[in-house]
Amino acid sequence: MDFEWTEAQQAFRERVIAFAREQLDDDLVARDHNGEFSREHWQRCAEFGIQALSVPNAFHGRGDTDFPTAMLAMESLGYGCPDNGLTFALNAQVWTVQLPIVHFGSEEQQQKYLPGLCDGRLIGAHAITEPGSGSDAFNIATRAEKVDGGYRLSGSKRYVSLAPLADLALVFATVDPQAGKWGVTAFLVDADTPGYRATPAIDKMGLRTVPMGELHFEDCFVPEANRLGPEGAGVSLSTSSLEWERCCILASQLGAMQRQFEQALAYARSREQFGRPIGKFQSVANRVVDMRLRLETCRLLVYKVAWLKHHGRPAMTEAALLKLHLGECFVDSSLDAIRIHGGAGYLSENGVERDLRDAVGGVIYAGTSDIQRNIVAGLLGL
């Protein structure tokens, strides 16, 4: 297992970091406070090629980008861009909307959706969670009733990132409630479809620059051509995309942890109290060391999962361990960063406290830390 990056990959990393620093850091404190999504920044990312990372060249993608390099790009984006909401939104679309279309979509679906998703004209949302199903993700009540020419969707989805402004949604519904999870089926639903309704963005603790809302389907007709994969394939489709998403969305968090560590280290070296830098005090130094340790262990897990996926190997256990470990570590390191910065870290204008608010979501979304422990325990035969 070789984690050495080529000169080309290192050069690409530097380009992504430079782009993020120069193009994606406008008025973040105000946008975070107001919960504003920047469509302009989204478009800049599309023009740079971020949304195209998972897509073949035939559909305006970057088919020459292997998965470890795509993961490195997402890590670099998280390092260079302090807007954790934007990086979260990008990963959500690229790996849980676009990649399923790449892997499971018909040629017609790929031609219809992928170019617009890549060039920024379209925004896609992944809709699986419901009022009655969160951690029990596939206990789905949204119904897809088979009718002439397609299906009629009825039900609701909640906690859907990008829902208030999405042009299409990848929606999971059941064609047969008696079949349990084997009835779960995926559909590509255009936002202008009659019976499709998105709520306004809801206020939340962190990741405030990516809007979250609900989707409601009332006798919403979806043509059979918009079913993604065969009936009953929704579980395998979602499980497959989650492994890719967990690696890359957590790679962006890894980049944020690197940025966070460097800022805390610089502050510990420069801030003086009692006639010497605060880093000379053991309590502060220990926190900096703990941040470095978390950073290194998280990096090893991220790179291992990327390596496994690149070589076509199963990564269910490793992806669950990564989600659990990095999610918890980002919270712990964010709290340490605030304590190292003291009063300055508590003020919103300095951006230190924002990472903590954003990090808390990482122990909840895409499978809570408790669920990750259950997954690993089950895979261990417990």
Side-chain angles (χ1 to χ4, degrees):
M1 193 178 300
D2 184 4
F3 294 151
E4 185 72 24
W5 298 111
T6 67
E7 290 186 6
Q9 288 171 321
Q10 291 174 356
F12 183 47
R13 176 181 184 274
E14 294 305 316
R15 289 199 302 274
V16 174
I17 293 172
F19 158 72
R21 286 175 171 170
E22 295 169 5
Q23 300 291 324
L24 304 178
D25 193 18
D26 305 353
D27 303 319
L28 179 54
V29 172
R31 287 191 289 106
D32 176 78
H33 177 76
N34 297 323
E36 295 177 358
F37 173 81
S38 174
R39 189 65 186 250
E40 181 180 356
H41 288 179
W42 184 271
Q43 190 62 44
R44 291 175 186 175
C45 289
E47 292 170 1
F48 185 83
I50 297 297
Q51 288 93 313
L53 287 171
S54 66
V55 176
N57 290 330
F59 307 109
H60 298 187
R62 300 178 61 122
D64 58 337
T65 305
D66 59 74
F67 184 63
T69 304
M71 180 278 300
L72 183 64
M74 289 307 188
E75 179 188 352
S76 305
L77 195 69
Y79 176 72
C81 173
D83 185 349
N84 298 314
L86 176 62
T87 58
F88 177 88
L90 289 164
N91 277 292
Q93 174 176 295
V94 169
W95 307 109
T96 66
V97 179
Q98 293 175 207
L99 197 64
I101 298 174
V102 170
H103 286 170
F104 301 97
S106 66
E107 184 176 352
E108 178 185 356
Q109 291 168 345
Q110 292 169 343
Q111 292 284 2
K112 180 178 180 181
Y113 295 114
L114 291 178
L117 290 168
C118 286
D119 65 23
R121 286 180 292 119
L122 299 179
I123 291 180
H126 180 273
I128 188 168
T129 301
E130 298 185 351
S133 63
S135 294
D136 187 10
F138 297 112
N139 183 23
I140 285 177
T142 299
R143 183 70 192 276
E145 179 185 2
K146 189 73 185 292
V147 296
D148 186 33
Y151 303 81
R152 290 200 179 276
L153 269 59
S154 300
S156 297
K157 300 293 181 179
R158 70 189 316 186
Y159 306 143
V160 182
S161 296
L162 295 170
L165 45 78
D167 300 287
L168 74 145
L170 174 54
V171 180
F172 293 83
T174 181
V175 297
D176 182 5
Q178 302 303 315
K181 67 180 182 179
W182 305 117
V184 176
T185 304
F187 300 90
L188 295 167
V189 187
D190 296 308
D192 60 359
T193 304
Y196 176 114
R197 179 171 64 88
T199 67
I202 54 179
D203 199 20
K204 56 188 185 300
M205 173 182 178
L207 299 173
R208 294 176 55 81
T209 57
V210 52
M212 175 186 288
E214 297 181 356
L215 294 177
H216 299 280
F217 306 95
E218 301 171 6
D219 201 24
C220 179
F221 176 74
V222 180
E224 189 164 355
N226 276 41
R227 188 187 70 217
L228 186 63
E231 288 189 359
V235 171
S236 58
L237 187 153
S238 179
T239 301
S240 172
S241 67
L242 272 176
E243 287 188 8
W244 301 93
E245 183 207 20
R246 283 174 181 162
C247 183
C248 284
I249 201 167
L250 294 171
S252 292
Q253 287 191 350
L254 176 67
M257 288 176 67
Q258 178 73 49
R259 167 174 42 81
Q260 179 186 66
F261 166 75
E262 291 177 5
Q263 291 172 346
L265 177 61
Y267 191 82
R269 287 172 171 170
S270 62
R271 169 68 169 170
E272 291 191 0
Q273 290 289 280
F274 304 100
R276 55 179 174 162
I278 61 173
K280 294 299 182 181
F281 295 93
Q282 188 176 31
S283 293
V284 175
N286 284 350
R287 292 190 187 107
V288 176
V289 171
D290 287 344
M291 292 178 71
R292 175 60 187 273
L293 177 60
R294 296 185 197 109
L295 181 63
E296 293 303 319
T297 56
C298 289
R299 176 174 285 112
L300 288 172
L301 281 170
V302 169
Y303 287 11
K304 182 176 182 179
V305 173
W307 183 86
L308 289 170
K309 297 300 291 181
H310 179 60
H311 287 85
R313 300 188 184 185
M316 184 176 294
T317 300
E318 290 80 4
L321 288 169
L322 169 61
K323 175 64 171 61
L324 170 61
H325 185 63
L326 198 150
E328 301 272 332
C329 283
F330 193 18
V331 172
D332 291 342
S333 288
S334 296
L335 185 56
D336 277 342
I338 291 174
R339 296 175 73 179
I340 290 167
H341 283 81
Y346 198 64
L347 299 180
S348 297
E349 64 185 29
N350 296 319
V352 180
E353 57 82 36
R354 184 176 60 247
D355 279 337
L356 177 60
R357 290 188 286 105
D358 294 341
V360 170
V363 303
I364 301 172
Y365 61 70
T368 67
S369 289
D370 294 333
I371 288 297
Q372 303 312 313
R373 289 185 172 92
N374 290 347
I375 291 172
V376 175
L379 293 169
L380 292 174
L382 299 176

